[in-house]
């Protein structure tokens, strides 16, 4: 068996996430605009922390059989994400995608919320926004400052994979011929319990709607947009939140 820990941090100005350089420019999240002196920020590909562990056991018996069972555990820190203003009146006048990082108000006097938006008074919107900020570790720590690009990270995910091998072998002279049957169950814990092994992530959060730009901007906050929380389930390929099984057969000679 073995246990390992790794940590990766990466910074960039533009991440290579598109086939066109114009898209790199349009998608960058900034405070002062895309043509400003954009500082280095945490990369979309910053790995964060990762813990892995594996253990295996094999047993030979009857002179021609061997069984192997192995478990692989992985814990991953979530990918980074940003807090932005939602599409609306332009704040930066860069292009159709402002991608402006939000200012996190220290108190109610630092933001003007338009009264009556979303059926809520400005006071109701502030109460909901203030509670949202207090309930998020990152936003709470940045009160009175702008959000950083990819300043926060998604939740940890924990999964266990199971592997079973059954060998049938025969020795012919100096050669060993083996027929091996394999069974892999990815996200094995999800097979045991549908609520286990969930891989969650958080995309960029567009927290505030810009209702009026200019020197005296007005915003609105709709708490109903976040009633289900920020987390989403990853269900892509082998990174799925659902268990998957694979059966294999191979012939080995040596």
């Amino acid at each position: 068996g073995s246990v390992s820990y790794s940590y990766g941090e990466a910074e960039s100005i533009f991440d290579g996430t598109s086939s066109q350089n114009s898209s790199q420019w349009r998608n960058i999240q900034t405070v002062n605009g895309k043509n400003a002196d954009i500082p280095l920020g945490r990369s979309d590909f910053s790995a964060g922390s990762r813990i892995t562990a594996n253990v295996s056991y094999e047993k030979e018996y009857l002179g021609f059989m061997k069984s192997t069972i192995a478990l692989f555990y992985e814990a991953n820190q979530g990918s980074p994400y940003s807090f932005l203003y939602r599409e609306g009146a332009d704040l930066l006048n860069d292009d159709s995608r402002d991608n402006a990082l939000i200012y996190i108000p220290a108190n109610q006097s630092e933001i003007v919320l338009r009264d009556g938006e979303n059926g809520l008074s400005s006071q109701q919107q502030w109460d909901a926004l203030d509670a949202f900020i207090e309930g998020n570790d990152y936003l709470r720590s940045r009160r009175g400052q702008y959000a950083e690009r990819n300043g926060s990270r998604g939740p940890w995910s924990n999964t266990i994979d199971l592997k079973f091998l059954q060998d049938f072998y025969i020795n012919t002279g100096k050669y060993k011929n083996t027929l091996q049957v394999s069974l892999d169950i990815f996200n094995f814990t999800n097979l045991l319990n549908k609520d286990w092994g969930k891989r969650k992530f958080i995309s960029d959060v567009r927290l505030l709607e810009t209702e009026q730009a200019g020197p005296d901007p007005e915003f609105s906050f709709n708490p109903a947009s976040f009633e289900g929380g920020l987390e989403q389930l990853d269900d892509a390929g082998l990174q799925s939140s659902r268990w998957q099984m694979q059966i294999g057969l191979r012939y080995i000679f040596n």
Side-chain angles (χ1 to χ4, degrees), residues 166-228:
Q166 181 61 55
D167 292 1
F168 303 92
Y169 57 85
I170 183 172
N171 294 311
T172 56
K174 61 179 181 179
Y175 297 103
K176 182 179 181 180
N177 300 275
T178 305
L179 184 66
Q180 184 180 83
V181 180
S182 63
L183 172 68
D184 292 280
I185 302 179
F186 305 105
N187 203 347
F188 175 61
T189 46
N190 185 250
L191 172 63
L192 302 179
N193 187 315
K194 64 182 179 64
D195 295 322
W196 295 349
K198 297 295 181 67
R199 298 178 184 268
K200 298 179 180 180
F201 70 96
I202 299 177
S203 299
D204 287 345
V205 180
R206 298 190 178 273
L207 194 64
L208 295 167
E209 183 80 45
T210 310
E211 301 295 344
Q212 174 182 303
D216 299 306
E218 295 181 6
F219 306 96
S220 65
F221 175 68
N222 185 6
S225 300
F226 307 102
E227 286 180 351

Side-chain angles (χ1 to χ4, degrees), residues 1-7 49-54 72-76 156:
S2 68
V3 178
S4 65
Y5 169 79
S6 65
Y7 177 78
S49 294
R50 182 173 183 253
I51 302 169
T52 61
N54 68 81
F72 176 78
Y73 167 74
E74 180 183 38
N76 271 324
W156 282 76

Side-chain angles (χ1 to χ4, degrees), residues 129-191:
L129 176 60
D130 188 52
F132 187 96
I133 293 172
E134 281 299 300
N136 184 279
D137 292 341
Y138 176 75
L139 293 178
R140 186 171 62 250
S141 71
R142 296 287 297 180
R143 278 191 183 269
Q145 303 174 79
Y146 282 92
E148 303 159 292
R149 178 164 66 96
N150 285 334
S152 192
R153 284 190 176 275
W156 282 76
S157 62
N158 298 272
T159 57
I160 295 178
D161 298 333
L162 171 72
K163 187 178 192 71
F164 178 76
L165 299 173
Q166 181 61 55
D167 292 1
F168 303 92
Y169 57 85
I170 183 172
N171 294 311
T172 56
K174 61 179 181 179
Y175 297 103
K176 182 179 181 180
N177 300 275
T178 305
L179 184 66
Q180 184 180 83
V181 180
S182 63
L183 172 68
D184 292 280
I185 302 179
F186 305 105
N187 203 347
F188 175 61
T189 46
N190 185 250
L191 172 63

